[in-house]
């Protein structure tokens, strides 16, 4: 039994089946939706469409090479669904999810069971329900482990339609010429424009947390909302997702003061993701503030940013070296619920 049809659950089911083991893959969607998933496909990417670095000179690139050497389904489909992203591996979300779903559902040793699992199984199983584990299973895990869950808030970035952008005000380039050298759309900002943008973020209306959420707020440091980064210092964004290093504005021949990068989100290049612009601003404020960026004055938003609560267990306390529950070794955990960062 594999519980959860995300990246980790789909890969686990595939590897088991390829090893000759019959698998039931339990996925609760669409019977029970989550706050951020949009459909019922397996391996749906709800955050970024980038699976990060693809070179063997960094850790995530090495992981990809190791996965491919082991016959990874996720990597095989990702290669087929790849879109330009400089030195990173990014995918068309729909093609990627459909490819994984087709492979899993057509495998003769895998049965996809569309139901919510609400208890910790009393049989060999892999729990790969990710940060959006259903409340019932979360409570069951909590009871099994006898400790409080860990949680943090994660954010999602907006996506805009290409035909609504003023391409004359943007320039194509990849940082340091990686990939094809022109994989990203770039919005150059001078110092005054950057300072105005920071002022707008600091004064904007944010989505209020629910009362029960407000007691103990932790953000995932690898995916901070841009307004939270701005609150940490006026230069934080300029040394983070808006860093201009490795880029030259052809209109001036100089490096801009700051840059907003847009990454291709689909094969047709109709949708573009605002890189690093995850946010919990209200929808109205997102439209107002992001449309002040040069070239985005008429931007049409395919998806607006949002924030959601993630959960994971205290792995060092509750798991052994092979990711088995110490209290119930027949149960393994996989994926982000173990506490690893996102797609890692």
């Amino acid at each position: 039994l594999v519980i959860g049809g995300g990246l980790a659950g789909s890969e686990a089911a595939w590897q088991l089946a390829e090893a000759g083991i019959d698998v039931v893959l339990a996925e609760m969607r669409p019977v029970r939706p989550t706050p951020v998933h949009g459909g019922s496909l397996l391996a749906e990417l709800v955050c970024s469409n980038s699976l990060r670095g693809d070179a063997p000179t960094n850790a995530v690139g090495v992981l990809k090479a190791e996965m491919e050497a082991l016959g990874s389904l996720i990597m095989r489909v990702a290669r087929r669904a790849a879109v330009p992203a400089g030195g990173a591996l990014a995918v068309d979300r729909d093609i990627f999810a459909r490819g994984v779903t087709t492979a899993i559902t057509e495998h003769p040793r895998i049965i996809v069971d569309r139901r919510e699992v609400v208890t910790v199984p009393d049989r060999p199983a892999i729990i790969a329900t990710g940060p959006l584990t259903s409340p019932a299973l979360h409570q069951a895990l909590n009871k099994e482990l006898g400790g409080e869950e860990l949680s943090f808030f994660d954010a999602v970035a907006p996506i805009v339609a290409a035909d609504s952008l003023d391409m004359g005000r943007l320039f194509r380039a990849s940082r340091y010429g990686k990939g094809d050298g022109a994989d990203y759309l770039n919005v150059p900002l001078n110092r005054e424009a950057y300072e105005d943008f920071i002022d707008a973020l600091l004064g904007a209306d944010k989505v209020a947390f629910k009362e029960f959420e407000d007691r103990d707020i932790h953000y995932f440091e690898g995916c901070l909302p841009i307004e939270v980064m701005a609150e940490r210092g006026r230069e934080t964004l300029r040394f983070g997702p808006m860093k201009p290093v490795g880029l030259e504005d052809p209109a001036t021949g100089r490096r801009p003061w700051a840059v907003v990068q847009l990454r291709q989100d689909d094969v047709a290049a109709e949708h573009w993701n605002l890189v690093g612009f995850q946010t919990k601003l209200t929808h109205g404020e997102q439209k107002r503030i992001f449309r002040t960026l040069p070239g985005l004055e008429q931007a049409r938003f395919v998806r607006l940013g949002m924030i959601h609560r993630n959960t994971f267990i205290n792995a060092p306390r509750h798991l052994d070296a092979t990711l088995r529950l110490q209290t119930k070794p027949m149960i393994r955990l996989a994926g982000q619920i173990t506490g690893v960062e996102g797609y890692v």
Side-chain angles (χ1 to χ4, degrees):
L1 175 64
V2 176
I3 308 170
L7 300 184
S10 296
E11 186 71 73
W14 179 264
Q15 293 289 343
L16 287 166
E18 288 291 281
I21 298 170
D22 293 329
V23 181
V24 173
L25 175 60
E27 167 54 52
M28 68 179 186
R29 293 177 298 115
V31 177
R32 182 183 179 90
T34 76
V36 296
H37 283 89
S40 60
L41 293 174
L42 303 176
E44 179 184 337
L45 301 179
V46 298
C47 189
S48 169
N49 71 317
S50 171
L51 304 181
R52 300 182 52 193
D54 198 25
T57 52
N58 58 64
V60 289
V62 172
L63 283 173
K64 290 177 178 63
E66 291 176 343
M67 289 175 67
E68 288 183 294
L70 294 167
S72 166
L73 171 67
I74 294 297
M75 288 303 305
R76 190 180 79 201
V77 177
R79 295 294 181 199
R80 294 174 180 172
V83 297
L89 172 62
V91 299
D92 181 302
R93 299 167 192 268
D94 188 62
I95 293 175
F96 175 74
R98 290 185 185 281
V100 174
T101 303
T102 298
I104 292 292
T105 54
E106 291 183 354
H107 199 292
R109 288 194 176 275
I110 301 176
I111 296 173
V112 178
D113 187 1
R114 298 286 182 169
R115 66 182 173 91
E116 179 186 2
V117 176
V118 298
T119 59
V120 177
D122 287 317
R123 54 178 284 195
I126 295 175
I127 298 176
T129 45
L132 297 168
T133 299
S134 73
L137 182 57
H138 192 115
Q139 290 175 8
L141 268 172
N142 221 29
K143 185 176 180 181
E144 176 69 33
L145 301 177
E148 265 188 45
E149 79 274 15
L150 297 177
S151 61
F152 59 87
F153 289 100
D154 207 353
V156 175
I159 296 173
V160 295
D163 62 6
S164 68
L165 304 175
D166 182 355
M167 295 297 182
R169 307 195 68 184
L170 313 179
F171 69 92
R172 280 186 172 270
S174 299
R175 192 168 277 117
Y176 298 112
K178 292 182 178 180
D180 290 335
D183 292 345
Y184 290 80
L185 296 176
N186 297 275
V187 180
L189 299 180
N190 59 27
R191 185 168 189 169
E192 181 182 3
Y194 174 78
E195 293 293 339
D196 288 345
F197 182 71
I198 297 299
D199 287 337
L201 287 179
L202 293 175
D205 293 332
K206 287 93 174 171
V207 175
F209 286 106
K210 298 181 177 63
E211 184 178 348
F212 74 90
E213 293 178 333
D214 206 31
R215 294 174 301 175
D216 188 22
I217 298 174
H218 300 282
Y219 289 108
F220 172 44
E221 289 291 323
C223 197
L224 288 171
I226 55 171
E227 61 276 6
V228 173
M229 284 188 270
E231 291 167 0
R232 292 185 174 186
R234 299 188 69 87
E235 292 286 276
T236 303
L237 280 168
R238 204 168 72 86
F239 284 84
M242 296 179 70
K243 59 181 179 288
V245 295
L247 294 167
E248 182 180 289
D249 184 356
T252 63
R254 299 191 303 272
R255 187 172 79 179
W257 184 256
V259 168
V260 179
Q261 285 201 305
L262 284 75
R263 181 180 55 242
Q264 187 173 329
D265 205 73
D266 61 343
V267 168
E270 294 175 347
H271 299 161
W272 291 76
N273 188 296
L274 274 67
V275 179
F277 266 44
Q278 52 277 356
T279 180
K280 71 182 186 79
L281 297 177
T282 63
H283 286 180
E285 290 287 69
Q286 288 183 51
K287 293 176 181 178
R288 179 181 69 83
I289 294 173
F290 296 156
R291 283 173 178 159
T292 66
L293 295 170
L296 272 68
E297 293 87 352
Q298 304 299 321
R300 187 172 73 257
F301 291 86
V302 177
R303 182 187 76 181
L304 287 160
M306 68 183 81
I307 191 165
H308 59 91
R309 190 180 183 113
N310 282 359
T311 58
F312 59 89
I313 73 160
N314 188 335
R317 179 184 300 171
H318 297 301
L319 301 183
D320 68 12
T322 59
L323 304 184
R324 297 180 304 179
L325 285 180
Q326 293 182 6
T327 58
K328 191 175 283 189
M330 72 178 72
I331 305 296
R332 279 185 167 84
L333 271 65
Q336 196 172 347
I337 194 173
T338 66
V340 297
E341 176 189 345
Y343 299 145
V344 173

